Amino acid sequence: MKLSTERITARLRYPFRIARSGSSARADSTEIVRIAITLEHDGIVGMGEAVPVPYYGHTLESIEQTVASASDMLGDDLEDVDGIIDRLLDAFDDERAAVAGIDAAVHDWIGKRRGIPVWKMLGLDPTKTPPTSMTIGIDRLELLPEKVAQAADFKVLKIKVGTDAEIETLTEMRRLAPDKTLRVDANCGWPPEDIIERMQGVAPFELEFIEQPTKAGELDAVRSARKLAVTPLIADEDSVRPSDVPRLDGVYDGINVKLSKCGGIREALRMIADARSRKMQVMLGCMTETSLGVAPAAHIASLVDYADIDGHLLLAEDPFEGLTLKEGVVLPGDSPGLGIRQTSVPHV
Ligand SMILES: [Mg+2]
């Protein structure tokens, strides 16, 4: 059994800016670096991708170290997903992006071994996958017409708000896209004392939901605001791993599950099942990652209400292929495992 990593690069289509803790930060770099994880055993190669999430303390180096240490912990039976993920999380509870990448490689390996796609392994039906949203980054208002035109294939647009210009941005968005479903992500940008006022401010735009209005942990403010029942509230930064779900019940209308945060498919399925048992809505998100990184989410996206798995579509070039975009829905393929093929040689 051999587990190895390789740094891969991809260029972003556009630099983008989001709000974080009330301030704006601009990601000017147009190049991203991700970790491709390769799992070789019995002549079968499983692959996964890990995305360092700085917000959760991950780095490229911490992912590489975690994967190197994980080699000895997979055991003899790669089909024992629960045992493998439990052992990895016991040892690397805070390195869930790395665990997610290994979880992806293990699922890919099992699917290839059995000759079936991961969605079939899990008993799922991709035709039930909801349309994904395309994210429109905060930028100068005069650039919005071009961005909205480029997102013509998508039924749902997601706008990053949480800045002083959000009303102007939403006004322009509604003018440009009067018939599309609009959802917004405040990315922790609303002060808790202003949440009700800000929710009332965006209510006329008939938003599908508001993602993470305040910074993580401001649950009292969110609980009070939700009582207004103006627009559904979805937790993102507050919703990291399965143990977070119970305390969000009664606070948010739903949770955003991201595999890089929670630790992969196994952990995501636990979060989804728990949220469903509490009658909470479920959104499935991703990071900016290649098709290899988005694939595990695409395979389980039929389980959720809202898909936001456009990470690979934000790249100018994708070193992998295997996902399709059909009428605004990101779909996994029918090939065994994650169904992802490499299209170009990774490099750093
Ligand atoms: Mg978010």
Side-chain angles (χ1 to χ4, degrees):
M1 184 145 359
K2 188 176 163 219
L3 201 53
S4 54
T5 58
E6 184 167 21
R7 293 189 184 193
I8 53 173
T9 62
R11 279 191 314 108
L12 294 178
R13 215 180 274 270
Y14 316 102
F16 62 93
R17 187 173 58 183
I18 59 171
R20 174 78 70 201
S21 299
S23 66
S24 290
R26 191 176 177 88
D28 271 321
S29 167
T30 56
E31 194 169 75
I32 58 171
V33 184
R34 302 291 177 250
I35 307 276
I37 297 172
T38 304
L39 171 61
E40 291 179 67
H41 184 56
D42 274 356
I44 297 168
V45 177
M47 289 200 72
E49 181 170 305
V51 182
V53 188
Y55 189 65
Y56 298 111
H58 310 145
T59 63
L60 293 169
E61 290 74 20
S62 73
I63 288 174
E64 287 165 342
Q65 286 162 11
T66 303
V67 175
S69 307
S71 278
D72 296 335
M73 301 170 59
L74 298 186
D76 297 327
D77 181 8
L78 277 183
E79 302 209 10
D80 176 22
V81 175
D82 271 340
I84 290 169
I85 301 305
D86 283 344
R87 284 194 294 279
L88 292 177
L89 290 177
D90 275 347
F92 308 110
D93 195 41
D94 290 327
E95 286 292 339
R96 289 184 177 237
V99 174
I102 298 169
D103 170 283
V106 169
H107 279 88
D108 190 36
W109 189 94
I110 298 170
K112 286 173 174 166
R113 167 91 157 215
R114 297 186 189 172
I116 53 173
V118 168
W119 58 261
K120 195 162 202 164
M121 250 165 70
L122 300 172
L124 303 179
D125 176 4
T127 64
K128 296 187 172 145
T129 305
T132 199
S133 49
M134 171 51 94
T135 298
I136 307 286
I138 296 171
D139 220 317
R140 299 196 306 279
L141 278 184
E142 59 267 30
L143 294 180
L144 279 182
E146 184 190 338
K147 291 195 168 186
V148 171
Q150 283 160 344
D153 292 344
F154 296 86
K155 298 172 179 168
V156 187
L157 301 180
K158 174 166 145 175
I159 304 105
K160 302 280 190 173
V161 295
T163 68
D164 293 339
E166 65 196 14
I167 298 299
E168 291 84 339
T169 304
L170 288 172
T171 303
E172 179 68 353
M173 281 300 303
R174 264 291 169 237
R175 188 184 72 76
L176 294 165
D179 301 323
K180 296 218 178 187
T181 299
L182 296 185
R183 55 180 69 158
V184 302
D185 188 353
N187 276 114
C188 311
W190 290 354
E193 62 275 18
D194 294 346
I195 180 172
I196 290 174
E197 190 185 336
R198 300 288 280 259
M199 278 183 75
Q200 288 169 336
V202 302
F205 299 101
E206 295 180 356
L207 305 173
E208 183 180 34
F209 60 73
I210 299 166
E211 199 182 325
Q212 193 67 40
T214 56
K215 65 180 195 291
E218 301 282 2
L219 301 187
D220 290 341
V222 178
R223 189 185 288 108
S224 308
R226 180 169 169 252
K227 289 187 182 136
L228 295 174
V230 180
T231 308
L233 295 168
I234 306 286
D236 183 5
E237 283 80 351
D238 264 320
S239 159
V240 179
R241 53 181 72 182
S243 60
D244 292 326
V245 180
R247 69 191 175 88
L248 302 176
D249 187 1
V251 177
Y252 284 95
D253 297 282
I255 57 166
N256 188 358
V257 175
K258 288 181 181 162
L259 275 57
S260 295
K261 296 194 304 186
C262 71
I265 290 174
R266 202 291 298 264
E267 290 290 272
L269 294 176
R270 287 189 169 183
M271 292 181 81
I272 294 168
D274 192 11
R276 289 298 185 209
S277 76
R278 298 168 188 280
K279 308 248 183 298
M280 295 176 78
Q281 297 179 322
V282 183
M283 172 181 183
L284 187 64
C286 65
M287 304 296 170
T288 307
E289 46 200 328
T290 73
S291 288
L292 176 62
V294 174
H299 279 264
I300 63 169
S302 59
L303 286 172
V304 306
D305 305 294
Y306 310 115
D308 181 26
I309 49 175
D310 61 346
H312 60 306
L313 303 171
L314 303 174
L315 302 180
E317 53 196 21
D318 189 340
F320 298 95
E321 65 178 13
L323 302 179
T324 53
L325 179 65
K326 191 175 170 192
E327 294 170 7
V329 183
V330 172
L331 291 168
D334 293 330
S335 304
L338 294 174
I340 297 297
R341 298 166 299 279
Q342 197 163 332
T343 56
S344 62
V345 178
H347 56 89
V348 158

